[in-house]
């Protein structure tokens, strides 16, 4: 996760949940977009896309199996995509 050139838009637009972004690319866009998520989704997205953790690593941290985490992550990405589409229309 994290290729150094990814933006939040790349992560959200991608169907590939392994695409991430580097911490130095965080900013207002990320903070504003993350407001669309629940606290759990926000923590999960940051852990995967920013902190470069894997689903397997997060199973212990969150106490959920990797499949459940992947579903929550996919749901979060859908919410972020919808939020960003709405923001671009405004």
């Amino acid at each position: 996760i994290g290729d150094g050139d990814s933006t939040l838009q790349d992560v959200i637009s991608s169907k590939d949940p392994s695409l991430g972004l580097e911490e130095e690319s965080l900013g207002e866009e990320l903070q504003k977009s993350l407001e669309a998520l629940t606290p759990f989704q926000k923590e999960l997205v940051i852990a995967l896309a920013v902190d470069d953790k894997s689903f397997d690593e997060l199973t212990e941290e969150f106490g959920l199996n990797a499949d459940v985490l992947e579903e929550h992550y996919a749901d979060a990405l859908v919410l972020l995509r919808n939020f960003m589409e709405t923001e671009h229309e405004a």
Side-chain angles (χ1 to χ4, degrees), residues 1-59:
I1 298 177
D3 63 11
D5 294 323
S6 300
T7 65
L8 179 60
Q9 182 67 38
D10 295 333
V11 173
I12 293 168
S13 299
S14 175
K15 301 288 188 228
D16 180 4
S18 68
L19 180 63
L21 67 144
E22 297 299 320
E23 193 163 355
E24 50 277 358
S25 66
L26 295 177
E28 281 185 41
E29 176 188 7
L30 176 61
Q31 294 303 321
K32 188 174 181 182
S33 298
L34 291 177
E35 291 174 9
L37 304 179
T38 67
F40 174 75
Q41 290 171 326
K42 188 183 309 184
E43 188 175 351
L44 182 60
V45 168
I46 290 170
L48 291 163
V50 179
D51 295 338
D52 199 27
K53 293 184 179 181
S54 70
F55 288 108
D56 290 333
E57 290 175 300
L58 295 174
T59 57

Side-chain angles (χ1 to χ4, degrees), residues 25 49 68 83:
S25 66
V68 171
F83 177 83

